[in-house]
C-alpha cells in the first residue's frame, strides 16, 4: 500500500488539525525529501493553521518558510542580473519553470523552492548568449570533455553554468526536449508566443498553455524523479490558476497537438486529477481518447503513482524501487535513440565503478559556512 | 540512556532505532555498526531518550551496497531516504554519524541563526568562540568544560531569533590529532569514545560532555562574550579588544544561514553583538587560557 503523508495535506490543508505527532513525523520527513516543506508551510499559513501545528514539526515549517522567502528575493535579484546580461547579447530574457512562475507572480511560486534559473534562447543566438553570460561571470561548471560534448551535441540545453562568485546556476535551453528525442517540438513556436512577465518588467515567460506543456513534458520525460511530486504540485497550481482564463483548455489542447506534446499532456492531466484532484473538464481529460487507452498507459499510471511520491522509505510500497528503476530507464529511452543510450549508460556505469561519480555529493565534514552559497 | 544495557542499546540501534534528545532536537538513530553502539554508550549516557513518535531527523549509518559491502566495507549516512555524502570507511561510522547530524542542523534548522562556533556558559552568560579549523577552538572548549563551564556546543552555536539566547545541544566534543592527547593530559578523568585513526581530518575522537551540561541542556544562556581564539606555540597569553562592527562581520561570515535569514539574521546578530565584549585571544598554555576565562566570568558577576 502506498501511503504518503503529503498528498492529503496538499489537497485539504484543513486536515492538519487532525494530525497526530506521529503523522507530523511523516509529513516533515517526506516534505523535506520532496522539497515541499515551504509549500506546506505556505498552505497552512494561508489557512491560519501554522500556529496550531505542534511545536516540534512547526519549527521545521518555520525554517522552511524562511528558506522560501529568502529564495524568492535572491532569485528575483539574480533574474535581474541575468536579464542585463541577456539583453546585452541582443536577446530578450525568456524564463522557464520556477523562476518564470515567480517573475509572473503566479500562485505556483508560493512556497516553492528555487534551484537553477532556466531560460530559453533561440538556437541561433546561443553562442552570443553564452559568451555574454560568461562576461557577466557565469561559466561552465567543471565538466569533462565527454559531458561538454554530450550536452552540446544531444541535449536541449548548454552544460549548466555557474556564477563564479555568487554560485547561482543557470540552465540555458534552446528547446524544451533534447535534440536526440524522437519528436522535439519547434522551439520557435514557444518563443513567438511568449508573453511579458506580469510582475517583472523586461522579462518574458511562456504563454499559459505552453508553460503547462513545458512543465508536463519536463516531468514526464524525466527519468530522475527526485522532485517529482514538487513538479506535479507545480502543474496543479498552473492548471488551477490558468483555468480561470476563457478558452484556456481549448488552447492547451491545440498547442499540445501543434508541439507534439499530446502524450506528456495526457499523463500530466491524468496524474494531477488522480493525485491532487485538480479540477479538469471531462472533455480535456479525455483529450486523445479515454484513459487508459492501452496497456502502456495502465502500466505508466502504476509507475507514476509510485514515482511521484516523496523519495522516502515511509512513502512507498514494495513496488516503488522497481517503479523508480523503470521510470529511470524510460527517461533515458525517451531522451535518445538506443545506440546512443547504450553508449551513454555504459559510460555512466564505468564512472560509477571507477569511483568518478556524476553526483554532486559533498563531504560530510565540509561543514563550512561557505556551503550556503551553493544552495 | 545509562539505564539501557549495552546489548539493549545495540539491538535498538540495529532494529527500530534509538530515539535520543539533544537539546531542542529529537534524533532517531539507526545503525548496525557495533562501533556506533559502543560510542553512543560511552558518550551519551546522560542524555534523555526521546518519545518514539516525532523526530527532527531520522538518520542512519549503514553499509554501502555492492562489492564494497564485502571488500573494505564502507558506510553511508542516510537522512530520510537520501544519502547526501560520499561513503566513508566503516571504521569511521560514528564520526560520520556525528558529522551528519551537524550537517542536518546546519542545513535545516533555520529557525535559529546557526554559527560555526563553540559556545560555553558560566553563571548564565555565554562565550561564543568562532574560529577557523586549526585555531584550537575545540581544544579550548574541551578544557573549559572540565573547569566549570557548561558545554552548549563545540561546533554549532544556535541563537534563537526571538530572544537572542543561546540554545544548547550538549553533544560530544570532536577533537583531532594532538588535541586528543592534550586534553587527556589536561584532565586524565575525561571519557573519550573510540578513537578513529585515519580520517581525512587525521585522528579523531569524541569527548563525553559533562553530566551537568547534559542535564542543564534546556537552560538558555545570554551571549556575553565573542572570543576569537588562536593557539600558537610558546606565546604568552594576550587578549585584544575587537571593534563590535568587525566582530559582527566575522560572526556573519561564520554563520551558516546569516544571509538566508535576511533581516531576522541581521537583527539577531546585532542583538547578540550589542550584548557582548568582543576580543581575540592568543594563547599557548591551556591553564593560562582557563584562568583568563575565569577572570572574565568573575568580572561579569560584578
Amino acid at each position: 500500500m502506498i501511503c504518503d503523508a503529503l498528498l492529503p495535506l496538499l489537497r485539504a490543508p484543513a486536515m492538519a488539525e487532525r494530525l497526530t505527532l506521529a503523522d507530523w513525523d511523516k509529513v516533515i520527513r517526506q516534505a523535506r525529501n520532496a522539497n515541499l516543506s515551504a509549500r506546506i508551510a505556505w498552505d497552512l499559513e494561508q489557512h491560519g493553521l501554522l500556529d496550531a501545528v505542534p511545536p516540534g514539526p512547526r519549527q521545521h515549517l518555520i525554517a522552511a518558510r524562511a528558506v522560501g522567502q529568502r529564495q524568492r528575493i535572491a532569485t528575483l535579484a539574480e533574474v535581474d542580473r541575468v536579464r542585463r546580461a541577456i539583453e546585452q547579447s541582443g536577446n530578450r530574457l525568456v524564463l522557464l519553470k520556477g523562476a518564470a512562475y515567480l517573475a509572473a507572480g503566479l500562485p505556483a511560486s508560493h512556497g516553492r523552492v528555487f534551484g537553477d534559473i532556466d531560460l530559453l534562447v533561440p538556437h541561433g543566438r546561443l553562442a552570443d548568449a553564452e559568451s555574454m553570460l560568461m562576461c557577466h561571470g557565469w561559466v561552465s561548471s567543471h565538466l569533462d570533455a565527454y559531458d561538454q560534448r554530450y550536452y552540446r551535441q544531444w541535449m536541449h540545453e548548454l552544460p549548466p553554468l555557474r556564477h563564479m562568485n555568487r554560485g547561482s546556476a543557470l540552465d540555458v535551453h534552446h528547446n524544451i526536449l533534447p535534440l536526440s528525442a524522437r519528436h522535439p517540438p519547434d522551439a520557435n513556436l514557444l518563443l513567438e508566443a511568449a508573453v511579458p512577465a506580469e510582475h517583472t518588467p523586461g522579462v518574458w515567460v511562456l504563454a499559459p498553455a505552453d508553460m503547462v506543456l513545458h512543465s508536463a513534458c519536463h516531468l514526464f520525460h524525466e527519468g530522475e524523479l527526485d522532485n517529482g511530486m514538487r513538479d506535479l504540485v507545480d502543474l496543479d497550481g498552473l492548471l488551477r490558476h490558468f483555468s480561470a482564463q476563457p478558452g484556456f483548455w481549448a488552447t492547451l489542447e491545440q498547442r499540445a497537438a501543434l508541439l507534439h506534446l499530446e502524450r506528456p499532456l495526457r499523463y500530466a492531466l491524468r496524474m494531477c486529477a488522480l493525485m491532487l484532484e485538480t479540477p479538469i473538464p471531462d472533455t480535456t481529460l479525455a483529450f486523445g481518447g479515454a484513459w487508459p487507452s492501452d496497456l502502456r498507459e495502465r502500466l505508466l499510471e502504476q509507475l507514476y503513482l509510485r514515482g511521484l511520491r516523496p523519495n522516502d522509505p515511509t512513502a512507498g510500497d514494495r513496488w516503488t524501487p522497481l517503479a523508480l528503476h523503470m521510470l529511470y530507464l524510460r527517461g533515458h529511452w525517451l531522451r535518445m535513440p538506443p545506440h546512443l543510450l547504450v553508449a551513454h549508460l555504459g559510460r555512466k556505469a564505468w564512472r560509477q565503478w571507477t569511483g568518478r561519480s556524476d553526483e554532486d555529493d559533498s563531504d560530510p565534514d565540509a561543514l563550512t559556512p561557505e556551503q550556503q552559497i551553493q544552495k | 540512556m545509562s539505564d539501557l544495557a549495552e546489548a539493549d542499546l545495540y539491538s535498538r540501534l540495529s532494529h527500530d532505532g534509538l530515539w535520543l534528545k539533544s537539546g531542542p532536537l529529537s534524533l532517531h538513530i539507526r545503525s548496525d555498526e557495533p562501533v556506533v553502539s559502543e560510542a553512543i554508550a560511552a558518550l551519551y549516557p546522560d542524555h534523555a531518550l526521546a518519545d518514539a513518535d516525532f523526530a527532527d531527523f531520522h538518520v542512519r549509518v549503514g553499509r554501502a551496497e555492492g562489492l564494497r559491502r564485502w571488500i573494505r566495507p564502507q558506510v553511508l549516512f542516510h537522512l530520510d531516504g537520501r544519502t547526501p555524502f560520499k561513503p566513508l570507511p566503516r571504521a569511521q561510522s560514528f564520526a560520520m554519524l556525528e558529522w551528519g547530524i551537524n550537517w542536518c542542523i546546519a542545513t535545516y534548522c533555520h529557525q535559529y541563526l546557526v554559527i560555526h562556533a563553540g559556545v560555553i556558559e558560566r553563571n548564565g552568560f555565554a562565550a561564543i568562540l568562532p574560529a577557523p579549523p586549526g585555531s584550537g577552538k575545540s581544544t579550548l572548549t574541551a578544557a573549559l568544560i572540565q573547569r566549570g563551564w557548561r558545554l552548549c556546543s563545540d561546533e554549532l552555536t544556535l541563537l534563537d531569533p526571538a530572544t537572542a539566547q543561546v540554545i544548547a545541544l550538549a553533544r560530544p566534543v570532536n577533537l583531532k590529532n594532538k588535541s586528543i592527547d592534550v586534553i587527556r593530559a589536561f584532565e586524565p578523568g575525561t571519557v573519550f569514545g573510540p578513537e578513529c585513526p585515519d580520517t581525512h581530518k587525521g585522528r579523531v575522537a569524541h569527548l563525553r560532555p559533562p553530566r551537568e551540561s547534559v542535564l542543564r541542556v534546556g537552560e538558555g544562556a545570554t551571549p556575553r562574550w565573542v572570543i576569537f581564539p588562536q593557539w600558537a606555540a610558546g606565546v604568552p597569553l594576550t587578549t585584544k579588544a575587537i571593534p563590535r562592527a568587525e566582530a559582527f562581520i566575522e560572526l556573519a561570515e561564520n554563520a551558516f544561514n546569516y544571509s538566508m535569514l535576511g533581516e531576522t539574521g541581521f537583527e539577531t546578530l546585532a542583538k547578540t553583538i550589542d550584548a557582548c565584549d568582543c576580543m581575540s585571544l592568543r594563547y599557548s598554555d591551556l591553564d593560562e587560557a582557563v584562568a583568563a576565562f575565569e577572570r572574565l566570568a568573575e568580572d561579569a558577576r560584578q
Side-chain angles (χ1 to χ4, degrees):
Chain A
M1 167 138 149
I2 323 166
C3 53
D4 78 81
L6 300 187
L7 284 182
L9 198 53
L10 287 164
R11 288 192 297 247
M15 73 163 304
E17 290 177 302
R18 300 194 302 273
L19 295 181
T20 66
L21 208 49
D23 294 332
W24 279 111
D25 184 75
K26 286 204 180 66
V27 169
I28 295 301
R29 61 186 291 186
Q30 292 184 11
R32 183 159 60 210
N33 226 308
N35 272 329
L36 282 167
S37 308
R39 171 55 189 254
I40 301 268
W42 166 264
D43 281 353
L44 292 177
E45 200 169 23
Q46 292 309 298
H47 285 77
L49 293 169
L50 189 55
D51 292 335
V53 177
R58 188 170 68 229
Q59 292 299 313
H60 289 273
L61 296 172
I62 288 171
R65 183 180 59 176
V67 176
Q69 285 168 347
R70 182 64 203 163
Q71 282 196 339
R72 287 178 79 85
I73 298 169
T75 304
L76 281 175
E78 205 60 15
V79 160
D80 199 51
R81 299 188 185 105
V82 179
R83 180 186 59 77
R84 271 177 272 160
I86 289 290
E87 281 177 357
Q88 277 182 34
S89 76
N91 292 291
R92 53 177 192 177
L93 175 59
V94 181
L95 291 173
L96 302 171
K97 295 199 268 188
Y101 312 154
L102 181 58
L106 298 177
S109 69
H110 291 305
R112 194 181 188 278
V113 177
F114 302 95
D116 311 349
I117 294 176
D118 300 270
L119 49 143
L120 184 64
V121 172
H123 194 240
R125 310 303 305 271
L126 265 184
D128 297 342
E130 188 180 12
S131 60
M132 192 50 76
L133 285 168
M134 196 181 282
C135 293
H136 284 250
W138 281 280
V139 293
S140 225
S141 34
H142 59 286
L143 294 166
D144 62 19
Y146 174 79
D147 290 323
Q148 289 282 347
R149 196 168 55 96
Y150 168 75
Y151 269 97
R152 288 174 195 276
Q153 192 167 359
W154 302 116
M155 286 295 102
H156 50 305
E157 57 192 329
L158 296 176
L161 305 179
R162 191 174 279 282
H163 195 275
M164 290 185 302
N165 306 326
R166 296 189 301 274
S168 66
L170 297 188
D171 282 335
V172 182
H173 301 247
H174 52 80
N175 205 332
I176 58 173
L177 278 181
L179 297 178
S180 52
R182 286 165 185 79
H183 301 291
D186 180 358
N188 288 323
L189 294 176
L190 299 170
L191 286 163
E192 281 160 15
V195 297
E198 212 164 291
H199 288 63
T200 319
V203 173
W204 297 68
V205 297
L206 298 185
D210 294 358
M211 202 183 255
V212 170
L213 287 168
H214 177 223
S215 181
C217 92
H218 176 72
L219 178 57
F220 292 96
H221 276 84
E222 180 55 65
E224 287 166 49
L225 292 169
D226 286 349
N227 280 320
M229 185 177 272
R230 200 273 316 264
D231 292 350
L232 193 73
V233 168
D234 279 352
L235 270 167
D236 169 76
L238 294 176
L239 289 171
R240 283 175 196 265
H241 179 71
F242 290 138
S243 64
Q245 298 184 356
F248 167 71
W249 296 107
T251 313
L252 183 61
E253 293 175 35
Q254 286 158 14
R255 293 294 284 184
L258 193 64
L259 293 160
H260 309 296
L261 295 171
E262 297 97 330
R263 285 207 163 270
L265 179 61
R266 255 176 89 76
Y267 305 150
L269 297 174
R270 177 69 190 172
M271 297 318 292
C272 275
L274 204 57
M275 296 176 80
L276 286 160
E277 291 167 8
T278 316
I280 299 167
D282 288 342
T283 51
T284 305
L285 209 47
F287 165 72
W291 180 279
S293 67
D294 53 16
L295 200 61
R296 169 169 65 169
E297 288 191 340
R298 205 181 294 241
L299 175 65
L300 277 177
E301 181 177 302
Q302 287 304 312
L303 295 183
Y304 276 114
L305 272 176
R306 289 165 177 83
L308 297 178
R309 308 279 166 166
N311 179 17
D312 183 281
T314 56
D317 68 1
R318 67 202 178 100
W319 298 106
T320 299
L322 179 67
L324 287 171
H325 200 72
M326 290 177 73
L327 288 170
Y328 177 80
L329 288 178
R330 177 178 178 271
H332 275 84
W333 175 255
L334 292 175
R335 197 182 290 183
M336 51 186 101
H339 67 283
L340 279 179
L341 181 62
V342 169
H344 181 65
L345 288 181
R347 181 97 187 187
K348 284 185 84 143
W350 170 250
R351 276 183 183 190
Q352 208 156 31
W353 175 256
T354 53
R356 274 218 38 223
S357 173
D358 281 350
E359 312 301 321
D360 187 24
D361 46 11
S362 47
D363 228 335
D365 69 328
L367 191 67
T368 53
E370 300 83 65
Q371 262 193 342
Q372 63 174 310
I373 301 167
Q374 307 293 325
K375 290 273 138 49
Chain B
M1 264 290 296
S2 54
D3 297 336
L4 278 184
E6 196 143 331
D8 188 20
L9 177 61
Y10 180 76
S11 116
R12 281 196 196 202
L13 280 166
S14 54
H15 291 102
D16 295 339
L18 177 72
W19 298 72
L20 195 64
K21 283 299 275 186
S22 171
L25 303 177
S26 297
L27 304 169
H28 177 223
I29 306 171
R30 289 194 302 147
S31 179
D32 40 22
E33 296 301 324
V35 68
V36 171
S37 171
E38 195 188 318
I40 288 180
L43 298 171
Y44 285 91
D46 303 314
H47 284 73
L49 294 175
D51 293 332
D53 50 5
F54 177 82
D56 292 278
F57 300 106
H58 298 260
V59 297
R60 180 163 79 83
V61 172
R63 212 68 80 76
E65 293 294 325
L67 260 189
R68 292 307 287 268
R69 197 178 171 85
W70 312 108
I71 305 165
R72 287 191 297 147
Q74 292 187 318
V75 288
L76 280 167
F77 175 83
H78 300 253
L79 170 66
D80 312 333
R82 298 192 185 216
T83 51
F85 311 122
K86 291 185 177 126
L88 286 180
R90 191 183 166 202
Q92 298 176 27
S93 299
F94 179 70
M96 189 176 214
L97 175 68
E98 289 287 317
W99 285 327
I101 293 170
N102 282 345
W103 178 85
C104 287
I105 297 170
T107 309
Y108 290 108
C109 289
H110 303 302
Q111 65 269 40
Y112 308 114
L113 178 63
V114 186
I115 303 172
H116 194 205
V119 58
I120 50 178
E121 176 265 355
R122 190 80 178 263
N123 306 323
F125 294 123
I128 299 171
L129 314 177
S135 55
K137 161 195 64 150
S138 290
T139 322
L140 189 56
T141 305
L144 288 164
I145 60 174
Q146 311 301 330
R147 295 288 184 271
W149 289 76
R150 172 165 74 99
L151 172 72
C152 297
S153 171
D154 71 321
E155 287 263 23
L156 300 171
T157 298
L158 309 186
L159 290 165
D160 181 354
T163 61
Q165 291 268 301
V166 169
I167 306 291
L169 292 166
R171 295 202 6 252
V173 178
N174 181 354
L175 291 174
K176 291 177 280 286
N177 302 322
K178 275 190 195 149
S179 298
I180 302 169
D181 312 313
V182 168
I183 293 299
R184 279 193 208 277
F186 179 78
E187 181 57 60
T190 50
V191 179
F192 280 88
E195 213 171 275
C196 203
D198 47 352
T199 74
H200 44 308
K201 280 187 162 185
R203 197 154 55 94
V204 166
H206 292 82
L207 175 71
R208 178 201 286 181
R211 183 175 160 78
E212 203 199 327
S213 300
V214 178
L215 298 181
R216 290 174 52 203
V217 70
E219 292 177 28
T222 307
R224 181 69 181 75
W225 306 277
V226 177
I227 302 173
F228 297 87
Q230 178 63 59
W231 182 87
V235 299
L237 183 133
T238 48
T239 57
K240 198 174 119 223
I242 293 180
R244 285 213 171 98
E246 198 181 315
F248 184 105
I249 290 171
E250 284 284 336
L251 268 195
E253 281 181 358
N254 278 285
F256 290 98
N257 55 357
Y258 173 73
S259 58
M260 175 77 83
L261 291 179
E263 198 181 334
T264 308
F266 177 84
E267 297 284 347
T268 309
L269 201 49
K271 255 188 275 176
T272 304
I273 290 280
D274 275 345
C276 284
D277 295 336
C278 307
M279 65 193 83
S280 64
L281 174 105
R282 252 168 89 81
Y283 73 101
S284 59
D285 182 69
L286 271 183
D287 288 308
E288 269 179 36
V290 169
F293 272 80
E294 197 66 36
R295 286 192 294 277
L296 289 177
E298 276 307 310
D299 292 348
R301 275 165 78 106
Q302 283 144 28

